Amino acid sequence: MMRKTAIVVISAVMLIIAGCGISPNETNGNDSGSNGASNNSSTNRNAMHMMNGHMGSLSTNEQQRKDDNDMQGHMSHNRNMNGHMDHENIVPLQASTGENKLAIPALLEPDKKGVYTVKAQQGKTAFFEGVLSETFGYNGDLLGPIIRLKQGEQAAIRIVNELKEETTFHWHGLEVAGQVDGGPHDPLQAGDEQLLKFDITQEAATLWFHPHPHNNTASQVYRGLAGLLYIEDENSAALPLPKEHGKNDFPLVFQDRLFNEAKQLDYEHAYYSDGTVGDTLLINGTVNPYLEVKREQVRLRLLNGANARNITFRLNTGDEFHQIATDGGLLNAPVAQTEITLTPSERAEIIVDFSLFAADQKIELVDEHGTVLLPFHIERGGKANSEPLPKQMNDYAVTEAEKALPISKKVELFGMMNMVYINGKKFDPDRVDLTQQKGVTEVWEIYNEKDMMGGMIHPFHIHGTQFKVISRDGVEPLAHEQGWKDSISVAPGERVKIAVTFEHEGLYMFHCHILEHEDSGMMGQIKVE
């Protein structure tokens, strides 16, 4: 009760801050502007110190740094459409100018013994011509290669930490034992390595991997640690779907970033406790990208790899595309869509039929504001080639028995900024929050409680499993969510019922996938036995 009271106090103070109003000319360096910014900064900082009385879980120095960055973030976002004050009007993205060819992640090959090696490394990346920025990457300077595994095989992956700090290797969406899941309870120290072996039992899907160290996930992902993991099976191989990597089957990792005045990627500069966002979109690490395609059906594997931003995808023409997969596998049949929104960590696979467009036609992937995310260059002179999509791709179902199960676990998401909680608690690595039996299906209800400011969407993720969506506020999910999921968007005031089964034993995380919320303790642990 005290925590919720504190949130109400914070909400009220934030509303007062929003009412103070900081106009753009208050930071232009003139005398009146400087005085105005100073007065507002003083008011805002006092408000922050009022909130700090409820926070107490961080050291004084660490809290002061976070407070300073929060205030800079609040003021910056307030200058840009009032920022996260209402959790919706965040800084808009700049449109892609389409001047740089999209980088395509390579497929990682195993050694002669069948072992894949993934190294977390420090590097330098030129996001802008002539300007190098310090970054992290897997087997390189930024992001990572694609690991491609097959259902039924045993995977062997050697993980190596070449960073100067501890990290973990979390296999997001992969059904594995807790001891190899890569959560915060299993850090790999600087200079260490480990050989992981696990069986691939789940069906074809586009998964990913990223770090998950306690209190440092957001920073390491922001600096560039993220890669994709494909699972293939006999069913997916037999379906007439585009599957030529880099030709008609493209991975697209979407991340927004904020560069400082020197065009450097600087997490400390960009940090915001309610979710770090930026005005520059990177796709596969490329600024202002374009993608070359032929006049055929093209498969786009979309990953929202952002720390906090929800991303909506449309075609600029308003034409339909077809969604063929969710986080954890193929849908039963292609679903015609004109737009799709992914919250952080969610994936979707879509098919765009470029045979329907002329080579000189302007075709772009845009967001809900019409901002260009990715322009397509359609091959000129090429012959249009398009085959019908398969009518049946999978046999997924939420059974009547699963629908009839009572709710056995309730998860309440609540809070904002550093004061975020699951069931009224912050993460404690020494506390087990929930337990469940291996192989037993239980129904979880995920509830996003509103705060005084209305609340915000929380993307909820469970490690080590793929779950089924039973309902949203008692209503059957739409067709594009009738497939395996490991992350799900939960709107303020919404209740989502999911059927959860763990196929392996171990300790697993469940948490909000706004990475700054995760680092601030919006996370719990479930023990599966």
Side-chain angles (χ1 to χ4, degrees):
M1 185 65 181
M2 287 296 293
R3 295 185 180 95
K4 293 184 179 179
T5 301
I7 292 293
V8 171
V9 172
I10 289 175
S11 299
V13 172
M14 294 309 297
L15 287 171
I16 293 171
I17 292 173
C20 290
I22 304 172
S23 63
N25 65 7
E26 288 177 340
T27 58
N28 64 7
N30 59 36
D31 290 341
S32 62
S34 297
N35 291 335
S38 176
N39 291 338
N40 278 293
S41 178
S42 176
T43 300
N44 291 349
R45 191 173 302 282
N46 288 336
M48 286 300 296
H49 286 306
M50 288 173 62
M51 298 173 202
N52 287 347
H54 301 282
M55 290 181 178
S57 61
L58 299 173
S59 69
T60 301
N61 290 338
E62 183 180 2
Q63 186 61 57
Q64 184 62 51
R65 177 187 67 78
K66 287 184 175 291
D67 291 351
D68 290 343
N69 287 336
D70 276 352
M71 288 318 308
Q72 292 170 10
H74 281 305
M75 293 169 69
S76 172
H77 288 301
N78 197 27
R79 291 193 296 270
N80 292 279
M81 297 178 64
N82 200 28
H84 282 257
M85 295 293 189
D86 60 4
H87 305 305
E88 295 180 0
N89 294 325
I90 66 173
V91 58
L93 291 169
Q94 299 176 22
S96 172
T97 59
E99 58 193 83
N100 299 312
K101 187 174 182 179
L102 181 71
I104 305 297
L107 295 171
L108 183 63
E109 297 296 333
D111 63 19
K112 293 180 180 180
K113 295 183 179 181
V115 177
Y116 295 88
T117 296
V118 182
K119 299 179 180 180
Q121 300 176 318
Q122 296 179 209
K124 293 182 182 295
T125 301
F127 295 102
F128 305 96
E129 187 175 356
V131 181
L132 287 174
S133 187
E134 293 186 359
T135 53
F136 289 172
Y138 293 118
N139 296 6
D141 294 308
L142 183 71
L143 299 181
I146 298 169
I147 303 173
R148 189 163 55 179
L149 305 173
K150 291 184 179 179
Q151 184 185 49
E153 72 177 8
Q154 184 183 69
I157 303 178
R158 185 170 69 100
I159 55 175
V160 184
N161 182 9
E162 294 186 355
L163 304 176
K164 297 178 181 178
E165 60 194 58
E166 73 176 29
T167 190
T168 78
F169 292 71
H170 169 51
W171 314 103
H172 185 118
L174 197 60
E175 295 180 347
V176 290
Q179 64 185 9
V180 295
D181 175 71
H185 50 276
D186 191 24
L188 191 66
Q189 300 300 322
D192 286 355
E193 63 178 73
Q194 184 179 359
L195 179 63
L196 306 178
K197 292 185 177 181
F198 45 82
D199 295 329
I200 304 300
T201 58
Q202 65 202 91
E203 63 188 57
T206 298
L207 312 178
W208 64 305
F209 58 98
H210 61 79
H212 212 300
H214 185 38
N215 288 334
N216 204 26
T217 297
S219 173
Q220 290 191 357
V221 171
Y222 198 87
R223 287 172 164 86
L225 287 182
L228 288 165
L229 189 153
Y230 294 174
I231 296 179
E232 299 178 343
D233 61 15
E234 292 182 358
N235 175 54
S236 65
L239 290 171
L241 294 170
K243 52 178 69 78
E244 293 184 73
H245 176 69
K247 294 183 178 180
N248 60 13
D249 184 351
F250 296 97
L252 300 178
V253 181
F254 291 82
Q255 299 172 307
D256 60 324
R257 298 291 182 258
L258 183 68
F259 292 88
N260 64 21
E261 292 180 357
K263 294 187 176 180
Q264 296 291 310
L265 190 64
D266 184 350
Y267 181 68
E268 296 297 317
H269 166 72
Y271 171 81
Y272 181 64
S273 63
D274 231 8
T276 300
V277 298
D279 60 1
T280 302
L281 181 68
L282 306 181
I283 306 179
N284 298 347
T286 307
V287 177
N288 294 321
Y290 70 86
L291 176 60
E292 295 179 341
V293 296
K294 295 183 179 181
R295 295 186 65 202
E296 61 182 353
Q297 289 179 345
V298 171
R299 183 181 194 167
L300 304 177
R301 302 180 188 238
L302 311 176
L303 161 63
N304 183 344
N307 281 39
R309 181 186 292 270
N310 304 328
I311 304 176
T312 296
F313 304 92
R314 299 174 178 170
L315 291 176
N316 63 309
T317 58
D319 285 283
E320 289 183 343
F321 52 82
H322 286 84
Q323 183 177 343
I324 61 168
T326 54
D327 297 334
L330 294 167
L331 293 165
N332 285 349
V335 177
Q337 302 264 63
T338 55
E339 76 171 48
I340 184 171
T341 298
L342 299 179
T343 56
S345 83
E346 286 189 296
R347 285 92 61 210
E349 296 181 37
I350 65 172
I351 301 289
V352 180
D353 190 350
F354 287 97
S355 71
L356 302 175
F357 308 120
D360 60 353
Q361 194 170 349
K362 183 179 180 181
I363 304 298
E364 300 160 332
L365 204 59
V366 301
D367 68 10
E368 70 273 28
H369 306 295
T371 302
V372 178
L373 307 178
L374 181 63
F376 297 103
H377 293 185
I378 303 175
E379 181 184 61
R380 293 181 178 275
K383 182 180 178 181
N385 182 24
S386 179
E387 296 183 12
L389 291 173
K391 294 182 179 180
Q392 182 70 29
M393 299 185 298
N394 210 343
D395 58 359
Y396 167 93
V398 179
T399 66
E400 292 303 316
E402 289 168 337
K403 294 176 184 178
L405 287 172
I407 296 169
S408 54
K409 289 179 170 55
K410 292 189 176 184
V411 176
E412 180 186 278
L413 312 174
F414 183 75
M416 58 185 287
M417 297 171 57
N418 291 326
M419 297 193 66
V420 284
Y421 306 94
I422 292 183
N423 291 346
K425 300 175 183 178
K426 280 185 173 290
F427 175 65
D428 181 348
D430 297 322
R431 184 188 68 235
V432 172
D433 300 281
L434 301 172
T435 60
Q436 189 162 326
Q437 294 298 306
K438 171 186 170 182
V440 176
T441 300
E442 293 193 33
V443 173
W444 295 28
E445 181 186 75
I446 318 303
Y447 172 51
N448 183 357
E449 184 173 356
K450 291 183 178 181
D451 58 39
M452 186 177 176
M453 295 176 69
M456 63 189 297
I457 291 172
H458 290 290
F460 181 75
H461 170 54
I462 308 178
H463 287 211
T465 187
Q466 291 289 330
F467 55 76
K468 299 177 181 180
V469 184
I470 297 174
S471 65
R472 288 184 175 273
D473 286 336
V475 179
E476 184 179 74
L478 297 176
H480 71 278
E481 280 195 322
Q482 294 181 22
W484 293 107
K485 297 281 292 174
D486 55 59
S487 299
I488 189 163
S489 168
V490 187
E494 187 175 32
R495 296 179 187 271
V496 179
K497 285 174 58 177
I498 57 177
V500 181
T501 311
F502 291 93
E503 300 297 343
H504 301 273
E505 297 179 356
L507 194 63
Y508 299 98
M509 305 296 108
F510 55 92
H511 58 86
C512 173
H513 219 285
I514 294 174
L515 298 184
E516 285 72 22
H517 284 182
E518 174 186 324
D519 281 348
S520 292
M522 200 172 189
M523 181 163 62
Q525 297 187 112
I526 181 167
K527 187 174 183 179
V528 179
E529 297 176 313

